[in-house]
Amino acid sequence: MSEKSAEKALRIIKNYDGPRVRIMEVCGTHTHENFRLGVRQLLPEAVDLISGPGCPVCVTPADYIDEAVWLAREKGVTVCTFGDLVRVPGSRMSLAEARAEGGKVRIVYSPDDACSYAKDHPEEEVVFLSVGFETTTPGACLSLVRASRDGVTNYSLLTANKTMPQAYRALKGSADAFLYPGHVNAITGTGVCRELVKEGISGVVAGFTANELVTAFALCLAMLQKGEPFFVNAYPRVVREEGSPEGMRLIDQWMEACDTEWRGLGVIPGSGLKLRKEAEAYDARIKYEIPRMEARTHTACRCGEVLQGRCRPSDCPLFGKGCTPLHPVGACMVSGEGACSAYYQYGM
Amino acid sequence: MQENKRKAVTLAHGGGGRQTNELIHEIFKKYFDNPDLTADDAAVLSMDEGRIAMSTDGFIVSPAEFPGGDIGKLSICGTVNDLACMGARPMYLTCAFVIEEGFPMEKLDRIAASMARTAEEAGVRIVAGDTKVAGRGQVDGVFITTTGIGRIPEGVETSGTKARPGDVVIVTGDVGRHGCTILLAREDFGIDADVTSDCAPLSGAVEAMLSATPDIHVIRDATRGGVGTVLYEIAEQSGVGVNIDAASLPVDQSVRGVCGLLGLEPLYLACEGRLVVIAPKDRADDLLQVLRQGKYTADAAVIGEITEDMPGRVTMTTEIGSKTLLPPPGGELLPRIC
């Protein structure tokens, strides 16, 4: 993107004189980059930028953590996870606390690492915490391809994978336009965004550099002023119309849609993914007969409302007092991509 | 060192007897030999009058050898650079080794040779040392502690409390390379990138700067926590704000790429051969001129300035011209990097 187009985009943003609008980010990296690059400060008064449910850690409900803690403590399972999840509070304890008590919790950087670990340690039972959106789900499925090819039987997934389309529909009233998560669209393609336009849901697929972000906002504001539902792909460098058919095929091969709970949003029908019946040998819930968890969360925590854009992190009574990145109460403060953590780190 | 090829350090090498003597002679004395290093219990040194800087640092980096350096080079650079940050010319070092039983003698030989080379380059003498051997599993490979003293020239007074509004902030090269190198050397990520550590002795660079102007307010080496952490420390100590210009921050393309993939901020990755220098604005050109002639400081750049507003905070002017807070340092980015 040329310097000129960035300047033009900045001018469009600065000169916006339309009605008050709400734009919702639904990607944790967007939340973080908009703070880091100072994009927020450039937006005019009339533009409300809301951080929606885009960070996989933040939307993962407490009972999922309870299940993982149960596996580590009651079943002696080696729980492999991305680092962000380790400090998320469950009802009684986080995985970090379970580890301090002697539970085996390993941080991995990809599901494949977890599968390799299982293969190298046949005496252990290994479970990978499979959270995330369409961007990370193919990786989890790929680890199952490998497990089945190599006959790794001590490896399974505890799934809490989510898909975005139903979430947009559930959040329709919360924002005038979405800043669609570029990396999710890189897998799913843009067909889903076109479908959403028909239902009156607008948005722009955005990239992650300063120029890509200001361009996306400029396009968004220009289209909002026209008053018609719209969709624009402002990240053509990476996002193609058809997305990644290989990635989508991989998901479809191993998983199917299910109802799932989003922290703060409740159960959204058809917004989750679970392993297909044929793959139940890799389903930790079935393999270890995990009992149903009834999660309890801190009553004052307003993460749920933050995720729906109904309040700002700083409106929460715990923000910066009882809840800080070092001692998080809610999930949005734990993950570096969470809205509360970003607000706290950047001193908003 | 043909005979060391198959040999390994044993507990007997730390027993104080014949084998200890052998180890000292075959490795340490061979490389560190100088008139001040004797077989007596302590080194006896003559010092001129004036002020002395003294510092100590422990090194536990894993892996012990990495692209661009090793624990030996690091242990000399670390203490030499700490002394240099006070404007001191490093003179004498001591070193203490804790070695794991079974550590390959050949590797220890390489580490000692690397220490000797680096000490020679920095113009310091190793005048005393100690060797202990710990049982297998009680340490990981080799840990080294170095202590050093250096003389501070007349009229030089650097301190983290001396940054003043209007001063410029200089870094002496691209940031974050050591941290990035160690990260990749551990192979946890499976990322293949061509990055080498910036580990280097900087006493020469400091001497060159001081000869250009003794009027330097702060010198800090940006080790653990990187440039970002150092700037926060200075902002706090001096009660000033720091504003840096994102566009002028030198970052190697590969380091930027790795940081992008892993969501890391290069400003918080460790350097082992980079200084943060704060000096009056009218000295900036002179300082940059001498730095750009230096072996390890050719990419030196002014990256920002000290401000009166936002005391205790570090802000950043981003590439699209808006001003944001650099998130304060926190948490453990990566253990055992130095």
Side-chain angles (χ1 to χ4, degrees), chain A residues 10 35-39 41-42 109 113 210-211 214 326 345-347, chain B residues 188-189 262 265 313 316 318-328 331:
Chain A
L10 284 170
F35 270 110
R36 191 178 73 83
L37 296 164
V39 176
Q41 288 94 308
L42 298 174
Y109 302 103
D113 290 349
N211 284 352
V214 295
L326 282 180
Q345 302 275 352
Y346 288 94
Chain B
D188 285 344
F189 298 104
L262 300 176
E265 170 56 62
R313 300 290 191 112
M316 176 133 70
T318 71
E319 55 196 283
I320 45 175
S322 58
K323 203 166 161 182
T324 63
L325 189 69
L326 177 71

PDB file of all heavy atoms in Angstrom, chain A residues 10 35-39 41-42 109 113 210-211 214 326 345-347, chain B residues 188-189 262 265 313 316 318-328 331:
ATOM      1  N   LEU A  10      -6.167   8.502   6.044  1.00  0.00           N
ATOM      2  CA  LEU A  10      -6.131   9.305   7.272  1.00  0.00           C
ATOM      3  C   LEU A  10      -7.003  10.553   7.134  1.00  0.00           C
ATOM      4  O   LEU A  10      -7.684  10.967   8.074  1.00  0.00           O
ATOM      5  CB  LEU A  10      -4.686   9.709   7.598  1.00  0.00           C
ATOM      6  CG  LEU A  10      -3.811   8.599   8.184  1.00  0.00           C
ATOM      7  CD1 LEU A  10      -2.349   9.022   8.232  1.00  0.00           C
ATOM      8  CD2 LEU A  10      -4.288   8.228   9.592  1.00  0.00           C
ATOM      9  N   PHE A  35      -4.309  -0.316  19.417  1.00  0.00           N
ATOM     10  CA  PHE A  35      -3.697   0.422  20.533  1.00  0.00           C
ATOM     11  C   PHE A  35      -2.239   0.725  20.220  1.00  0.00           C
ATOM     12  O   PHE A  35      -1.784   1.844  20.332  1.00  0.00           O
ATOM     13  CB  PHE A  35      -3.759  -0.409  21.820  1.00  0.00           C
ATOM     14  CG  PHE A  35      -5.010  -0.178  22.613  1.00  0.00           C
ATOM     15  CD1 PHE A  35      -5.979  -1.165  22.712  1.00  0.00           C
ATOM     16  CD2 PHE A  35      -5.218   1.028  23.270  1.00  0.00           C
ATOM     17  CE1 PHE A  35      -7.125  -0.958  23.447  1.00  0.00           C
ATOM     18  CE2 PHE A  35      -6.365   1.235  24.010  1.00  0.00           C
ATOM     19  CZ  PHE A  35      -7.323   0.238  24.098  1.00  0.00           C
ATOM     20  N   ARG A  36      -1.504  -0.317  19.838  1.00  0.00           N
ATOM     21  CA  ARG A  36      -0.061  -0.191  19.667  1.00  0.00           C
ATOM     22  C   ARG A  36       0.302   0.847  18.611  1.00  0.00           C
ATOM     23  O   ARG A  36       1.246   1.619  18.775  1.00  0.00           O
ATOM     24  CB  ARG A  36       0.537  -1.545  19.269  1.00  0.00           C
ATOM     25  CG  ARG A  36       2.056  -1.592  19.314  1.00  0.00           C
ATOM     26  CD  ARG A  36       2.579  -2.973  18.946  1.00  0.00           C
ATOM     27  NE  ARG A  36       2.447  -3.232  17.525  1.00  0.00           N
ATOM     28  CZ  ARG A  36       3.323  -2.824  16.609  1.00  0.00           C
ATOM     29  NH1 ARG A  36       4.386  -2.160  16.970  1.00  0.00           N
ATOM     30  NH2 ARG A  36       3.136  -3.090  15.340  1.00  0.00           N
ATOM     31  N   LEU A  37      -0.447   0.845  17.515  1.00  0.00           N
ATOM     32  CA  LEU A  37      -0.126   1.761  16.421  1.00  0.00           C
ATOM     33  C   LEU A  37      -0.771   3.134  16.611  1.00  0.00           C
ATOM     34  O   LEU A  37      -0.565   4.040  15.816  1.00  0.00           O
ATOM     35  CB  LEU A  37      -0.576   1.160  15.087  1.00  0.00           C
ATOM     36  CG  LEU A  37       0.139  -0.133  14.690  1.00  0.00           C
ATOM     37  CD1 LEU A  37      -0.627  -0.851  13.586  1.00  0.00           C
ATOM     38  CD2 LEU A  37       1.558   0.173  14.235  1.00  0.00           C
ATOM     39  N   GLY A  38      -1.572   3.258  17.647  1.00  0.00           N
ATOM     40  CA  GLY A  38      -2.198   4.553  17.906  1.00  0.00           C
ATOM     41  C   GLY A  38      -3.329   4.863  16.950  1.00  0.00           C
ATOM     42  O   GLY A  38      -3.637   6.029  16.700  1.00  0.00           O
ATOM     43  N   VAL A  39      -3.964   3.829  16.383  1.00  0.00           N
ATOM     44  CA  VAL A  39      -5.072   4.065  15.451  1.00  0.00           C
ATOM     45  C   VAL A  39      -6.275   4.638  16.201  1.00  0.00           C
ATOM     46  O   VAL A  39      -6.970   5.518  15.699  1.00  0.00           O
ATOM     47  CB  VAL A  39      -5.472   2.755  14.721  1.00  0.00           C
ATOM     48  CG1 VAL A  39      -6.675   2.974  13.821  1.00  0.00           C
ATOM     49  CG2 VAL A  39      -4.295   2.217  13.920  1.00  0.00           C
ATOM     50  N   GLN A  41      -6.480   6.720  18.618  1.00  0.00           N
ATOM     51  CA  GLN A  41      -6.437   8.169  18.849  1.00  0.00           C
ATOM     52  C   GLN A  41      -6.809   8.965  17.608  1.00  0.00           C
ATOM     53  O   GLN A  41      -7.141  10.130  17.696  1.00  0.00           O
ATOM     54  CB  GLN A  41      -5.043   8.621  19.300  1.00  0.00           C
ATOM     55  CG  GLN A  41      -4.690   8.226  20.704  1.00  0.00           C
ATOM     56  CD  GLN A  41      -3.929   6.926  20.722  1.00  0.00           C
ATOM     57  OE1 GLN A  41      -4.382   5.940  20.137  1.00  0.00           O
ATOM     58  NE2 GLN A  41      -2.797   6.884  21.371  1.00  0.00           N
ATOM     59  N   LEU A  42      -6.699   8.331  16.441  1.00  0.00           N
ATOM     60  CA  LEU A  42      -6.980   9.052  15.194  1.00  0.00           C
ATOM     61  C   LEU A  42      -8.468   9.107  14.888  1.00  0.00           C
ATOM     62  O   LEU A  42      -8.908   9.891  14.065  1.00  0.00           O
ATOM     63  CB  LEU A  42      -6.274   8.363  14.027  1.00  0.00           C
ATOM     64  CG  LEU A  42      -4.749   8.314  14.092  1.00  0.00           C
ATOM     65  CD1 LEU A  42      -4.211   7.483  12.950  1.00  0.00           C
ATOM     66  CD2 LEU A  42      -4.181   9.728  14.028  1.00  0.00           C
ATOM     67  N   TYR A 109       3.628 -24.657  21.355  1.00  0.00           N
ATOM     68  CA  TYR A 109       3.435 -23.580  20.399  1.00  0.00           C
ATOM     69  C   TYR A 109       2.589 -23.991  19.217  1.00  0.00           C
ATOM     70  O   TYR A 109       2.217 -23.175  18.396  1.00  0.00           O
ATOM     71  CB  TYR A 109       4.796 -23.032  19.954  1.00  0.00           C
ATOM     72  CG  TYR A 109       5.581 -22.536  21.132  1.00  0.00           C
ATOM     73  CD1 TYR A 109       6.615 -23.280  21.674  1.00  0.00           C
ATOM     74  CD2 TYR A 109       5.229 -21.336  21.747  1.00  0.00           C
ATOM     75  CE1 TYR A 109       7.302 -22.839  22.794  1.00  0.00           C
ATOM     76  CE2 TYR A 109       5.909 -20.890  22.861  1.00  0.00           C
ATOM     77  CZ  TYR A 109       6.950 -21.641  23.378  1.00  0.00           C
ATOM     78  OH  TYR A 109       7.618 -21.205  24.486  1.00  0.00           O
ATOM     79  N   ASP A 113       3.238 -29.932  18.199  1.00  0.00           N
ATOM     80  CA  ASP A 113       4.180 -30.149  19.300  1.00  0.00           C
ATOM     81  C   ASP A 113       3.574 -31.092  20.338  1.00  0.00           C
ATOM     82  O   ASP A 113       4.255 -31.949  20.906  1.00  0.00           O
ATOM     83  CB  ASP A 113       4.513 -28.826  20.020  1.00  0.00           C
ATOM     84  CG  ASP A 113       5.363 -27.902  19.164  1.00  0.00           C
ATOM     85  OD1 ASP A 113       5.860 -28.360  18.115  1.00  0.00           O
ATOM     86  OD2 ASP A 113       5.508 -26.730  19.533  1.00  0.00           O
ATOM     87  N   ALA A 210      -0.260  -0.717   9.958  1.00  0.00           N
ATOM     88  CA  ALA A 210      -0.867   0.603  10.176  1.00  0.00           C
ATOM     89  C   ALA A 210      -1.662   1.029   8.938  1.00  0.00           C
ATOM     90  O   ALA A 210      -2.817   1.454   9.044  1.00  0.00           O
ATOM     91  CB  ALA A 210       0.214   1.621  10.496  1.00  0.00           C
ATOM     92  N   ASN A 211      -1.055   0.880   7.768  1.00  0.00           N
ATOM     93  CA  ASN A 211      -1.745   1.294   6.544  1.00  0.00           C
ATOM     94  C   ASN A 211      -3.008   0.485   6.291  1.00  0.00           C
ATOM     95  O   ASN A 211      -4.037   1.026   5.898  1.00  0.00           O
ATOM     96  CB  ASN A 211      -0.805   1.161   5.335  1.00  0.00           C
ATOM     97  CG  ASN A 211       0.208   2.278   5.302  1.00  0.00           C
ATOM     98  OD1 ASN A 211       0.123   3.234   6.079  1.00  0.00           O
ATOM     99  ND2 ASN A 211       1.180   2.163   4.409  1.00  0.00           N
ATOM    100  N   VAL A 214      -5.755   1.694   8.851  1.00  0.00           N
ATOM    101  CA  VAL A 214      -6.389   2.998   8.576  1.00  0.00           C
ATOM    102  C   VAL A 214      -7.207   2.926   7.289  1.00  0.00           C
ATOM    103  O   VAL A 214      -8.276   3.528   7.188  1.00  0.00           O
ATOM    104  CB  VAL A 214      -5.383   4.184   8.539  1.00  0.00           C
ATOM    105  CG1 VAL A 214      -4.757   4.406   9.896  1.00  0.00           C
ATOM    106  CG2 VAL A 214      -4.350   4.028   7.468  1.00  0.00           C
ATOM    107  N   LEU A 326      -1.254  -9.018  36.140  1.00  0.00           N
ATOM    108  CA  LEU A 326      -0.514  -9.922  37.032  1.00  0.00           C
ATOM    109  C   LEU A 326      -1.442 -10.773  37.883  1.00  0.00           C
ATOM    110  O   LEU A 326      -1.129 -11.909  38.214  1.00  0.00           O
ATOM    111  CB  LEU A 326       0.424  -9.121  37.942  1.00  0.00           C
ATOM    112  CG  LEU A 326       1.730  -8.634  37.316  1.00  0.00           C
ATOM    113  CD1 LEU A 326       2.551  -7.862  38.332  1.00  0.00           C
ATOM    114  CD2 LEU A 326       2.542  -9.796  36.755  1.00  0.00           C
ATOM    115  N   GLN A 345      -2.735  -2.063  29.679  1.00  0.00           N
ATOM    116  CA  GLN A 345      -1.351  -1.881  29.235  1.00  0.00           C
ATOM    117  C   GLN A 345      -1.128  -0.517  28.606  1.00  0.00           C
ATOM    118  O   GLN A 345      -0.071   0.073  28.742  1.00  0.00           O
ATOM    119  CB  GLN A 345      -0.972  -2.934  28.182  1.00  0.00           C
ATOM    120  CG  GLN A 345      -1.114  -4.357  28.626  1.00  0.00           C
ATOM    121  CD  GLN A 345       0.118  -4.842  29.356  1.00  0.00           C
ATOM    122  OE1 GLN A 345       1.129  -4.176  29.400  1.00  0.00           O
ATOM    123  NE2 GLN A 345       0.012  -6.001  29.948  1.00  0.00           N
ATOM    124  N   TYR A 346      -2.121  -0.062  27.850  1.00  0.00           N
ATOM    125  CA  TYR A 346      -1.944   1.198  27.138  1.00  0.00           C
ATOM    126  C   TYR A 346      -2.491   2.385  27.922  1.00  0.00           C
ATOM    127  O   TYR A 346      -2.626   3.478  27.395  1.00  0.00           O
ATOM    128  CB  TYR A 346      -2.550   1.114  25.734  1.00  0.00           C
ATOM    129  CG  TYR A 346      -1.732   0.240  24.830  1.00  0.00           C
ATOM    130  CD1 TYR A 346      -2.034  -1.104  24.677  1.00  0.00           C
ATOM    131  CD2 TYR A 346      -0.613   0.735  24.175  1.00  0.00           C
ATOM    132  CE1 TYR A 346      -1.268  -1.925  23.872  1.00  0.00           C
ATOM    133  CE2 TYR A 346       0.164  -0.066  23.373  1.00  0.00           C
ATOM    134  CZ  TYR A 346      -0.173  -1.390  23.220  1.00  0.00           C
ATOM    135  OH  TYR A 346       0.601  -2.203  22.434  1.00  0.00           O
ATOM    136  N   GLY A 347      -2.818   2.154  29.185  1.00  0.00           N
ATOM    137  CA  GLY A 347      -3.163   3.246  30.085  1.00  0.00           C
ATOM    138  C   GLY A 347      -4.414   4.003  29.716  1.00  0.00           C
ATOM    139  O   GLY A 347      -4.488   5.226  29.881  1.00  0.00           O
TER     140      GLY A 347
ATOM    141  N   ASP B 188      12.260 -24.387  20.024  1.00  0.00           N
ATOM    142  CA  ASP B 188      10.890 -24.637  20.437  1.00  0.00           C
ATOM    143  C   ASP B 188       9.904 -24.251  19.334  1.00  0.00           C
ATOM    144  O   ASP B 188       8.806 -24.769  19.253  1.00  0.00           O
ATOM    145  CB  ASP B 188      10.544 -23.787  21.673  1.00  0.00           C
ATOM    146  CG  ASP B 188      11.178 -24.360  22.925  1.00  0.00           C
ATOM    147  OD1 ASP B 188      11.602 -25.517  22.877  1.00  0.00           O
ATOM    148  OD2 ASP B 188      11.248 -23.638  23.938  1.00  0.00           O
ATOM    149  N   PHE B 189      10.302 -23.290  18.524  1.00  0.00           N
ATOM    150  CA  PHE B 189       9.345 -22.699  17.595  1.00  0.00           C
ATOM    151  C   PHE B 189       9.428 -23.261  16.185  1.00  0.00           C
ATOM    152  O   PHE B 189       8.525 -23.081  15.402  1.00  0.00           O
ATOM    153  CB  PHE B 189       9.552 -21.181  17.533  1.00  0.00           C
ATOM    154  CG  PHE B 189       9.332 -20.512  18.842  1.00  0.00           C
ATOM    155  CD1 PHE B 189      10.391 -20.088  19.609  1.00  0.00           C
ATOM    156  CD2 PHE B 189       8.047 -20.336  19.316  1.00  0.00           C
ATOM    157  CE1 PHE B 189      10.179 -19.477  20.833  1.00  0.00           C
ATOM    158  CE2 PHE B 189       7.832 -19.738  20.541  1.00  0.00           C
ATOM    159  CZ  PHE B 189       8.900 -19.308  21.299  1.00  0.00           C
ATOM    160  N   LEU B 262       5.515 -14.191  16.504  1.00  0.00           N
ATOM    161  CA  LEU B 262       5.287 -14.635  17.877  1.00  0.00           C
ATOM    162  C   LEU B 262       4.598 -13.582  18.742  1.00  0.00           C
ATOM    163  O   LEU B 262       4.360 -13.801  19.925  1.00  0.00           O
ATOM    164  CB  LEU B 262       6.627 -15.033  18.522  1.00  0.00           C
ATOM    165  CG  LEU B 262       7.374 -16.161  17.813  1.00  0.00           C
ATOM    166  CD1 LEU B 262       8.716 -16.412  18.473  1.00  0.00           C
ATOM    167  CD2 LEU B 262       6.541 -17.440  17.836  1.00  0.00           C
ATOM    168  N   GLU B 265       7.450  -7.797  21.203  1.00  0.00           N
ATOM    169  CA  GLU B 265       7.857  -6.427  20.944  1.00  0.00           C
ATOM    170  C   GLU B 265       9.396  -6.388  20.961  1.00  0.00           C
ATOM    171  O   GLU B 265      10.005  -6.672  21.998  1.00  0.00           O
ATOM    172  CB  GLU B 265       7.262  -5.531  22.045  1.00  0.00           C
ATOM    173  CG  GLU B 265       7.775  -4.102  22.084  1.00  0.00           C
ATOM    174  CD  GLU B 265       7.590  -3.364  20.772  1.00  0.00           C
ATOM    175  OE1 GLU B 265       6.455  -3.190  20.334  1.00  0.00           O
ATOM    176  OE2 GLU B 265       8.621  -2.991  20.164  1.00  0.00           O
ATOM    177  N   ARG B 313       6.912   7.620  32.309  1.00  0.00           N
ATOM    178  CA  ARG B 313       6.289   6.848  31.225  1.00  0.00           C
ATOM    179  C   ARG B 313       7.135   6.912  29.957  1.00  0.00           C
ATOM    180  O   ARG B 313       7.860   7.879  29.735  1.00  0.00           O
ATOM    181  CB  ARG B 313       4.899   7.416  30.882  1.00  0.00           C
ATOM    182  CG  ARG B 313       3.913   7.413  32.018  1.00  0.00           C
ATOM    183  CD  ARG B 313       3.484   5.997  32.354  1.00  0.00           C
ATOM    184  NE  ARG B 313       2.362   6.015  33.263  1.00  0.00           N
ATOM    185  CZ  ARG B 313       1.129   5.608  32.927  1.00  0.00           C
ATOM    186  NH1 ARG B 313       0.890   5.173  31.719  1.00  0.00           N
ATOM    187  NH2 ARG B 313       0.159   5.639  33.809  1.00  0.00           N
ATOM    188  N   MET B 316       5.389   6.474  22.544  1.00  0.00           N
ATOM    189  CA  MET B 316       5.942   6.192  21.215  1.00  0.00           C
ATOM    190  C   MET B 316       5.136   6.949  20.171  1.00  0.00           C
ATOM    191  O   MET B 316       3.909   6.914  20.180  1.00  0.00           O
ATOM    192  CB  MET B 316       5.859   4.681  20.961  1.00  0.00           C
ATOM    193  CG  MET B 316       6.297   4.275  19.592  1.00  0.00           C
ATOM    194  SD  MET B 316       7.409   2.870  19.636  1.00  0.00           S
ATOM    195  CE  MET B 316       6.323   1.565  20.115  1.00  0.00           C
ATOM    196  N   THR B 318       3.975   6.748  16.672  1.00  0.00           N
ATOM    197  CA  THR B 318       3.876   5.593  15.776  1.00  0.00           C
ATOM    198  C   THR B 318       4.079   6.022  14.330  1.00  0.00           C
ATOM    199  O   THR B 318       4.135   7.209  14.027  1.00  0.00           O
ATOM    200  CB  THR B 318       2.516   4.892  15.901  1.00  0.00           C
ATOM    201  OG1 THR B 318       1.519   5.744  15.318  1.00  0.00           O
ATOM    202  CG2 THR B 318       2.161   4.620  17.356  1.00  0.00           C
ATOM    203  N   GLU B 319       4.142   5.021  13.461  1.00  0.00           N
ATOM    204  CA  GLU B 319       4.410   5.304  12.051  1.00  0.00           C
ATOM    205  C   GLU B 319       3.299   6.105  11.376  1.00  0.00           C
ATOM    206  O   GLU B 319       3.512   6.664  10.306  1.00  0.00           O
ATOM    207  CB  GLU B 319       4.662   3.993  11.299  1.00  0.00           C
ATOM    208  CG  GLU B 319       3.541   2.995  11.458  1.00  0.00           C
ATOM    209  CD  GLU B 319       3.953   1.594  11.048  1.00  0.00           C
ATOM    210  OE1 GLU B 319       4.021   1.354   9.851  1.00  0.00           O
ATOM    211  OE2 GLU B 319       4.179   0.753  11.940  1.00  0.00           O
ATOM    212  N   ILE B 320       2.105   6.148  11.989  1.00  0.00           N
ATOM    213  CA  ILE B 320       1.069   6.985  11.387  1.00  0.00           C
ATOM    214  C   ILE B 320       0.921   8.287  12.178  1.00  0.00           C
ATOM    215  O   ILE B 320      -0.073   9.001  12.052  1.00  0.00           O
ATOM    216  CB  ILE B 320      -0.296   6.267  11.271  1.00  0.00           C
ATOM    217  CG1 ILE B 320      -0.634   5.530  12.567  1.00  0.00           C
ATOM    218  CG2 ILE B 320      -0.308   5.335  10.098  1.00  0.00           C
ATOM    219  CD1 ILE B 320      -2.016   4.914  12.567  1.00  0.00           C
ATOM    220  N   GLY B 321       1.909   8.579  12.996  1.00  0.00           N
ATOM    221  CA  GLY B 321       1.982   9.905  13.610  1.00  0.00           C
ATOM    222  C   GLY B 321       1.195  10.095  14.885  1.00  0.00           C
ATOM    223  O   GLY B 321       1.169  11.192  15.436  1.00  0.00           O
ATOM    224  N   SER B 322       0.549   9.028  15.400  1.00  0.00           N
ATOM    225  CA  SER B 322      -0.139   9.264  16.672  1.00  0.00           C
ATOM    226  C   SER B 322       0.751   8.787  17.819  1.00  0.00           C
ATOM    227  O   SER B 322       1.706   8.044  17.629  1.00  0.00           O
ATOM    228  CB  SER B 322      -1.501   8.587  16.695  1.00  0.00           C
ATOM    229  OG  SER B 322      -1.360   7.225  16.488  1.00  0.00           O
ATOM    230  N   LYS B 323       0.416   9.243  19.002  1.00  0.00           N
ATOM    231  CA  LYS B 323       1.269   8.980  20.149  1.00  0.00           C
ATOM    232  C   LYS B 323       0.601   7.953  21.059  1.00  0.00           C
ATOM    233  O   LYS B 323      -0.554   8.117  21.432  1.00  0.00           O
ATOM    234  CB  LYS B 323       1.468  10.297  20.904  1.00  0.00           C
ATOM    235  CG  LYS B 323       2.706  10.335  21.756  1.00  0.00           C
ATOM    236  CD  LYS B 323       2.985  11.779  22.172  1.00  0.00           C
ATOM    237  CE  LYS B 323       3.890  11.831  23.369  1.00  0.00           C
ATOM    238  NZ  LYS B 323       4.147  13.195  23.821  1.00  0.00           N
ATOM    239  N   THR B 324       1.329   6.881  21.379  1.00  0.00           N
ATOM    240  CA  THR B 324       0.766   5.869  22.271  1.00  0.00           C
ATOM    241  C   THR B 324       1.748   5.595  23.403  1.00  0.00           C
ATOM    242  O   THR B 324       2.917   5.933  23.314  1.00  0.00           O
ATOM    243  CB  THR B 324       0.542   4.522  21.540  1.00  0.00           C
ATOM    244  OG1 THR B 324       1.808   4.029  21.103  1.00  0.00           O
ATOM    245  CG2 THR B 324      -0.366   4.665  20.352  1.00  0.00           C
ATOM    246  N   LEU B 325       1.213   4.951  24.420  1.00  0.00           N
ATOM    247  CA  LEU B 325       2.055   4.544  25.532  1.00  0.00           C
ATOM    248  C   LEU B 325       2.745   3.229  25.132  1.00  0.00           C
ATOM    249  O   LEU B 325       2.107   2.344  24.576  1.00  0.00           O
ATOM    250  CB  LEU B 325       1.157   4.310  26.743  1.00  0.00           C
ATOM    251  CG  LEU B 325       1.823   4.086  28.089  1.00  0.00           C
ATOM    252  CD1 LEU B 325       2.486   5.372  28.554  1.00  0.00           C
ATOM    253  CD2 LEU B 325       0.778   3.634  29.105  1.00  0.00           C
ATOM    254  N   LEU B 326       4.040   3.125  25.397  1.00  0.00           N
ATOM    255  CA  LEU B 326       4.687   1.814  25.250  1.00  0.00           C
ATOM    256  C   LEU B 326       4.251   1.018  26.479  1.00  0.00           C
ATOM    257  O   LEU B 326       4.504   1.454  27.604  1.00  0.00           O
ATOM    258  CB  LEU B 326       6.208   1.964  25.221  1.00  0.00           C
ATOM    259  CG  LEU B 326       7.008   0.665  25.139  1.00  0.00           C
ATOM    260  CD1 LEU B 326       6.866   0.022  23.765  1.00  0.00           C
ATOM    261  CD2 LEU B 326       8.474   0.908  25.441  1.00  0.00           C
ATOM    262  N   PRO B 327       3.578  -0.140  26.290  1.00  0.00           N
ATOM    263  CA  PRO B 327       3.114  -0.866  27.474  1.00  0.00           C
ATOM    264  C   PRO B 327       4.295  -1.160  28.407  1.00  0.00           C
ATOM    265  O   PRO B 327       5.342  -1.591  27.934  1.00  0.00           O
ATOM    266  CB  PRO B 327       2.539  -2.148  26.895  1.00  0.00           C
ATOM    267  CG  PRO B 327       2.235  -1.840  25.482  1.00  0.00           C
ATOM    268  CD  PRO B 327       3.249  -0.822  25.048  1.00  0.00           C
ATOM    269  N   PRO B 328       4.130  -0.912  29.694  1.00  0.00           N
ATOM    270  CA  PRO B 328       5.250  -1.132  30.616  1.00  0.00           C
ATOM    271  C   PRO B 328       5.671  -2.593  30.626  1.00  0.00           C
ATOM    272  O   PRO B 328       4.862  -3.476  30.352  1.00  0.00           O
ATOM    273  CB  PRO B 328       4.678  -0.737  31.981  1.00  0.00           C
ATOM    274  CG  PRO B 328       3.414  -0.017  31.711  1.00  0.00           C
ATOM    275  CD  PRO B 328       2.922  -0.455  30.383  1.00  0.00           C
ATOM    276  N   GLY B 331       6.104  -9.443  33.470  1.00  0.00           N
ATOM    277  CA  GLY B 331       6.099 -10.881  33.217  1.00  0.00           C
ATOM    278  C   GLY B 331       7.453 -11.383  32.757  1.00  0.00           C
ATOM    279  O   GLY B 331       8.403 -10.625  32.581  1.00  0.00           O
TER     280      GLY B 331
END
